[in-house]
């Protein structure tokens, strides 16, 4: 069967094209700048506050970087709710989970430090609610330029050098670790065996 592909149709009539995407990009950018200036200083212009996380994989897990957002547990630890945090310039990521207590406490301290520096403008100047700043504090507010609380990497501590002793040379790290792993793996079996031996000894004594 010979297909009828209709190649003689006027395809330009049915195809819609647009070439104003670069101009719309500039327009969106300009509108965003106007909106930021209009509500200034209503929040950090460089973006919301983000948590400190470690990079994935063994190769990069020693490096620190900013994450997508704070977890629900971190917000609860700082006394914040998910909806309120978004309104005061804090990024929230409900999918991320805390696998380290150390970094959860670190991010909670980061949130509390941010709350201490934050000047929250009242919605109604006549009725200042709890947590909102006074009019005197609002006059001192300035727009932040640059990154919000950038990560400060700690300098490595100075290592001390010492002479290697004979005992340290005799120590075998791999054998020690292997023995520790075997002890941890067999602790249940050995405890059960020891308990059975003691019970057998008691039974033989009674006889």
């Amino acid at each position: 069967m010979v297909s009828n592909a209709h190649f003689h149709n006027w395809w330009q009539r049915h195809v819609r094209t647009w070439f104003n995407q670069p101009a719309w990009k500039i327009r969106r950018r300009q509108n965003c700048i106007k909106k930021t200036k209009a509500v200034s200083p209503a929040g950090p212009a460089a973006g919301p506050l983000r948590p400190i996380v470690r990079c994935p994989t063994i190769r990069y897990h020693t490096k620190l970087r900013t994450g997508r957002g704070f977890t629900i547990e971190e917000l609860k630890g700082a006394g914040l709710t998910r909806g309120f945090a978004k309104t005061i310039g804090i990024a929230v990521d409900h999918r991320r989970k805390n696998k380290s207590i150390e970094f959860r406490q670190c991010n909670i301290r980061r949130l509390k430090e941010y709350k201490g520096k934050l000047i929250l403008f009242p919605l109604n100047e006549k009725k200042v609610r709890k947590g909102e700043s006074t009019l005197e504090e609002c006059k001192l507010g300035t727009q932040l330029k640059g990154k919000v609380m950038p990560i400060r990497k700690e300098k490595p501590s100075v290592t001390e050098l010492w002479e290697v002793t004979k005992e340290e040379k005799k120590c075998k790290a791999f054998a020690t670790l292997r023995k520790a792993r075997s002890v941890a793996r067999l602790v249940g079996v050995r405890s059960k065996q020891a308990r059975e031996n003691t019970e057998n000894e008691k039974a033989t004594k009674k006889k």
Side-chain angles (χ1 to χ4, degrees):
M1 181 177 179
V2 179
S3 61
N4 189 4
H6 302 284
F7 286 121
H8 295 288
N9 288 351
W10 190 7
W11 70 272
Q12 290 92 338
R13 183 185 294 168
H14 306 288
V15 175
R16 184 180 178 183
T17 59
W18 56 91
F19 302 102
N20 57 354
Q21 286 180 340
W24 272 103
K25 182 180 179 181
I26 295 167
R27 187 174 176 180
R28 283 195 303 270
R29 178 63 178 164
Q30 290 173 350
N31 290 337
C32 184
I33 292 169
K34 287 179 183 178
K35 185 178 179 181
T36 305
K37 288 180 179 179
V39 298
S40 177
L49 178 71
R50 299 191 183 276
I52 299 173
V53 297
R54 285 199 181 275
C55 299
T57 68
I58 297 173
R59 185 173 184 178
Y60 300 107
H61 76 280
T62 56
K63 295 184 178 181
L64 300 176
R65 66 172 178 85
T66 53
R68 184 181 179 88
F70 291 90
T71 60
I72 307 300
E73 293 178 0
E74 291 168 354
L75 295 173
K76 285 181 180 178
L80 296 169
T81 59
R82 177 180 173 182
F84 180 69
K86 291 181 178 180
T87 61
I88 59 172
I90 297 174
V92 180
D93 185 10
H94 65 277
R95 294 170 295 184
R96 187 167 70 85
K97 296 180 181 179
N98 291 110
K99 295 184 178 179
S100 172
I101 298 172
E102 179 185 356
F103 267 84
R104 184 175 64 185
Q105 296 296 331
C106 175
N107 285 323
I108 289 171
R109 288 195 300 270
R110 184 174 171 85
L111 285 169
K112 289 181 178 178
E113 185 181 352
Y114 178 76
K115 281 174 64 181
K117 295 178 179 179
L118 186 68
I119 297 175
L120 189 61
F121 282 58
L123 295 173
N124 189 359
E125 295 180 356
K126 296 180 181 179
K127 294 181 181 179
V128 179
R129 296 182 299 180
K130 184 181 179 181
E132 294 178 341
S133 302
T134 59
L135 297 175
E136 295 178 357
E137 292 175 346
C138 293
K139 291 177 181 178
L140 300 173
T142 55
Q143 182 68 53
L144 178 68
K145 294 181 180 179
K147 292 184 178 180
V148 183
M149 295 177 63
I151 298 172
R152 297 175 184 175
K153 296 182 180 179
E154 298 179 359
K155 294 182 180 180
S157 58
V158 180
T159 56
E160 297 180 0
L161 302 177
W162 70 89
E163 293 183 0
V164 182
T165 60
K166 292 181 180 179
E167 294 179 357
E168 291 175 346
K169 287 181 180 180
K170 291 179 180 179
C171 180
K172 296 179 181 179
F174 179 77
T176 306
L177 289 172
R178 188 167 181 176
K179 186 178 180 181
R181 282 198 296 268
S182 66
V183 170
R185 189 175 67 253
L186 300 172
V187 63
V189 178
R190 288 174 179 173
S191 62
K192 183 182 177 182
Q193 189 175 4
R195 188 169 60 252
E196 289 177 354
N197 291 337
T198 53
E199 289 175 358
N200 293 332
E201 287 179 1
K202 289 179 182 179
T204 52
K205 287 179 180 179
K206 287 180 180 179
K207 287 179 182 180

